[in-house]
């Protein structure tokens, strides 16, 4: 089985052919916005920091931004920098491999108006290159799918997450890769995940990963740590992080865990992989995108319209009320498992088929809505 | 009659209300005897399938998720007002 994708110089394949305009520091974001106004087809990626951060944060920042720029869905990248920022634009540009890259610096290139003018020329050129590229047949085994949940309710773990798990199993049967993330939402299930690891060594690693996250949460929140769930989750019926986590890991499906990677690193194995990301959706999606995810299967109970730059996000909601209340935001209604007699397997098949159509070019709701919130994990102070 | 609650795992002692239910409504499950709601409940929230003693664990997906902070009777709403996260769960 195959899809049709865009071939990159490094023999990876994208399901989109986006031109990114990315700033290495927020001071330069005005130029990115101006280029976006002139060329609405480009995808803006605004770095909210880029200066005043400590070493660890800079390492994560550059790995995430470069990872997203290197994502196979990206055809070309224009980096806009200021010239004096901590995260040098040229350092970022040099981390982007095997695709057309240009770098402009506002302080060197004549201020924001002149840099914008040059940037529009570069953007236009990159768009013209992308426009003529044709899709070619690609085996499904090349697909990397990120898994995410946001705004969970008590139904998420009965309908949407098991249905995504069923779809994940179908993709893995074809040799593809799925990435289960959001370590906070594995708290309370370390013993279950340990059982599911492909090797005892991996089992120890995943147990340690989840237990370390528990420790950090407990340190930060003390006695109340078990209640680390958003008010919307509690209103939706979830009583503890363990209950929520059990529902969350359902979306990983039933296959063994083959690898554990850190935040924004690319998996080297196929099958089910775990990435260490926070529960906060936007940061988590940034990790998945930097890890090379072609698309993200995103379950929601209460409803969230959030997409991500350059990576199609497929929204699966857990119940028909949310589906009706947020028309145009949700791609698949798994509430049919509750009120229309569909089975988890049937909805899983629906998700699989839609994701294949998305791989071949069909737009998700979030893409049609141009929803591209962007941020990434920042853990240290700002100076 | 159409089911209005769902049990996920045979060892679970709570079920999920599939729709809002009122005190006095019958809880209808597949393969279970129906029983009466002792209070109102929102869709998606948990209903005690059996009586749950003080400190007894509540099971969902076949795993313990919280423990009772008071006696809970069959047909009562089970949530943060009568349960708490299991203290041992958060010990790494």
């Amino acid at each position: 089985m195959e899809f049709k994708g865009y071939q990159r110089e490094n023999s990876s394949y994208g399901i989109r052919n986006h031109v990114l305009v990315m700033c290495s520091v927020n001071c330069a974001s005005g130029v990115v916005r101006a280029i976006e106004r002139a060329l609405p087809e480009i995808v803006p990626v605004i770095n909210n920091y880029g200066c005043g951060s400590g070493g660890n944060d800079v390492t994560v920042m550059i790995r995430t931004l470069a990872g997203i720029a290197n994502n196979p869905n990206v055809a070309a990248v224009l980096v806009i920098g200021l010239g004096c920022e901590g995260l040098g634009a040229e350092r970022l540009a040099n981390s982007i491999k095997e695709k057309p890259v240009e770098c402009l610096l506002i302080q060197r290139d004549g201020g924001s108006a002149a840099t914008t003018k040059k940037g529009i020329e570069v953007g236009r050129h990159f768009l013209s290159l992308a426009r003529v590229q044709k899709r070619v047949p690609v085996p499904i085994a090349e697909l990397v799918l990120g898994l995410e949940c946001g705004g969970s309710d008590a139904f998420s773990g009965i309908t949407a997450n098991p249905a995504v798990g069923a779809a994940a199993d179908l993709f893995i049967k074809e040799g593809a890769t799925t990435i289960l993330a959001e370590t906070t939402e594995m708290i309370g299930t370390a013993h279950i995940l340990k059982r599911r690891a492909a090797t005892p060594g991996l089992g120890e690693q995943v147990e340690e990963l989840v237990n370390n996250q528990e420790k950090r949460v407990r340190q930060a929140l003390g006695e109340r740590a078990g209640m680390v769930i958003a008010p919307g989750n509690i209103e939706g019926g979830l009583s503890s992080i363990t209950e929520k986590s059990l529902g969350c890991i359902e979306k990983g499906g039933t296959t063994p865990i083959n690898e554990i990677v850190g935040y924004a690193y690319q998996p080297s194995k196929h099958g089910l992989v775990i990435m260490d990301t926070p529960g906060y959706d936007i940061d988590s999606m940034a990790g998945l995108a930097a890890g090379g995810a072609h698309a993200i299967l995103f379950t929601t109970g209460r409803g969230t319209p959030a997409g991500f730059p350059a990576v199609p996000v497929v929204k699966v909601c857990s119940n028909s009320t949310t589906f009706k209340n947020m028309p145009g935001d949700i791609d698949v209604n798994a509430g049919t498992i509750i009120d229309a007699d569909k089975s988890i397997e049937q909805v899983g098949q629906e998700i699989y088929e839609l994701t294949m159509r998305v791989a071949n070019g069909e737009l998700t709701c979030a893409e049609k809505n141009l929803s591209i919130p962007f941020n990434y994990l920042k853990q240290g102070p700002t100076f | 009659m159409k089911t209005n609650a769902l049990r996920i795992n045979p060892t679970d002692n709570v079920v999920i209300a599939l729709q809002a239910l009122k005190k006095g409504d019958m809880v209808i499950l597949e393969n279970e005897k129906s029983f009466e709601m002792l209070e109102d409940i929102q869709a998606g929230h948990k209903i005690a399938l059996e009586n749950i003693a003080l400190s007894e664990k509540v099971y969902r997906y076949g795993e313990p998720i919280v423990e009772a902070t008071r006696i809970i009777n069959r047909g009562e709403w089970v949530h943060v007002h009568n349960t708490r996260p299991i203290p041992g769960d958060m010990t790494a």
Side-chain angles (χ1 to χ4, degrees), chain A residues 315-330:
Chain A
K315 279 292 159 57
V316 181
C317 74
S318 68
N319 66 89
S320 297
T321 306
T322 298
F323 187 68
K324 286 191 202 100
N325 282 347
M326 296 182 67
D329 286 333
I330 309 289

Side-chain angles (χ1 to χ4, degrees), chain A residues 8-355:
Chain A
R8 303 292 164 219
E9 284 171 50
N10 64 358
S11 301
S12 66
Y13 297 86
I15 67 173
R16 298 291 183 267
N17 213 20
H18 284 300
V19 173
L20 253 52
V21 179
M22 180 183 267
C23 55
S24 51
V25 64
N26 210 357
C27 316
S29 59
V31 169
V32 176
R33 293 288 183 209
I35 297 171
E36 185 193 0
R37 285 191 293 276
L39 302 173
E41 274 179 74
I42 62 97
V43 176
V45 177
I46 306 291
N47 182 6
N48 286 320
Y49 285 94
C51 211
S53 298
N56 285 336
D57 277 340
V58 173
T59 304
V60 172
M61 195 186 303
I62 201 170
R63 185 171 73 237
T64 310
L65 291 172
I68 291 167
N70 284 320
N71 184 293
N73 288 351
V74 175
V77 188
L78 169 59
V79 178
I80 310 288
L82 182 53
C84 53
E85 67 269 38
L87 173 60
E90 268 152 348
R91 180 180 164 198
L92 176 56
N94 289 337
S95 309
I96 303 168
K97 309 283 183 205
E98 289 158 324
K99 59 184 69 170
V101 183
E102 290 275 351
C103 182
L104 298 174
L105 300 176
I106 295 172
Q107 287 168 350
R108 177 193 68 192
D109 295 329
S112 44
T115 308
T116 300
K117 193 153 178 263
K118 289 197 182 86
I120 292 170
E121 271 173 46
V122 172
R124 227 174 236 135
H125 171 61
F126 283 170
L127 286 168
S128 69
L129 292 177
R131 217 169 273 132
V132 298
Q133 194 175 1
K134 297 270 180 274
R135 290 175 182 260
V136 298
V138 185
I140 293 187
E142 290 288 320
L143 270 180
V144 178
L145 299 172
L147 306 173
E148 180 72 29
C149 57
S152 296
D153 66 6
F155 294 116
S156 297
I158 311 174
T159 59
N161 288 341
V164 166
D169 282 352
L170 292 174
F171 278 108
I172 288 174
K173 225 160 100 176
E174 307 269 353
T177 307
T178 63
I179 310 176
L180 181 65
E182 299 173 284
T183 314
T184 313
E185 286 157 34
M186 298 176 199
I187 293 172
T189 66
H191 55 299
I192 300 172
L193 293 170
K194 184 178 184 179
R195 257 187 260 133
R196 298 218 359 228
T199 66
L202 271 174
E204 308 265 311
Q205 266 183 64
V206 72
E207 187 178 49
E208 193 184 336
L209 173 73
V210 177
N211 286 344
N212 284 341
Q213 188 69 356
E214 275 187 43
K215 282 198 194 98
R216 292 175 66 225
V217 165
R218 189 134 86 135
Q219 247 156 29
L221 296 161
E223 273 305 302
R224 303 282 300 158
M227 298 305 285
V228 175
I229 45 182
N233 296 150
I234 298 175
E235 275 163 41
L238 297 173
S239 310
S240 71
I241 189 74
T242 302
E243 181 178 10
K244 183 182 172 188
S245 297
L246 282 166
C248 286
I249 65 173
E250 285 279 300
K251 64 187 184 299
T254 62
T255 63
I257 298 161
N258 283 339
E259 192 177 14
I260 298 161
V261 295
Y263 182 80
Y265 282 101
Q266 282 137 31
S268 64
K269 298 241 163 66
H270 287 236
L272 176 61
V273 165
I274 285 181
M275 180 185 287
D276 181 20
T277 76
Y280 176 52
D281 301 338
I282 312 304
D283 287 5
S284 183
M285 288 199 282
L288 296 170
H294 290 95
I296 294 171
L297 306 184
F298 190 134
T299 66
T300 184
R302 312 282 285 178
T304 156
F308 196 81
V311 176
V313 176
V314 175
K315 279 292 159 57
V316 181
C317 74
S318 68
N319 66 89
S320 297
T321 306
T322 298
F323 187 68
K324 286 191 202 100
N325 282 347
M326 296 182 67
D329 286 333
I330 309 289
D331 298 288
V332 179
N333 177 20
T336 52
I337 292 167
I338 297 170
D339 51 40
D341 269 330
K342 287 236 173 97
S343 70
I344 290 170
E345 288 69 35
Q346 279 175 303
V347 180
Q349 182 70 27
E350 224 182 291
I351 295 167
Y352 175 87
E353 285 168 13
L354 171 65
T355 304

Side-chain angles (χ1 to χ4, degrees), chain A residues 355-370:
Chain A
T355 304
M356 287 304 294
R357 296 200 304 275
V358 167
N360 285 320
E362 181 172 313
L363 298 181
T364 64
C365 287
E367 285 181 292
K368 287 182 210 156
N369 296 335
L370 297 174

Side-chain angles (χ1 to χ4, degrees), chain A residues 154 157 234-235 237 239-240 243, chain B residues 6 44-46 60-61 65 79:
Chain A
I234 298 175
E235 275 163 41
S239 310
S240 71
E243 181 178 10
Chain B
L6 193 66
H45 287 238
K46 294 179 285 297
R60 210 184 142 188
Y61 303 101
I65 57 166
H79 198 30

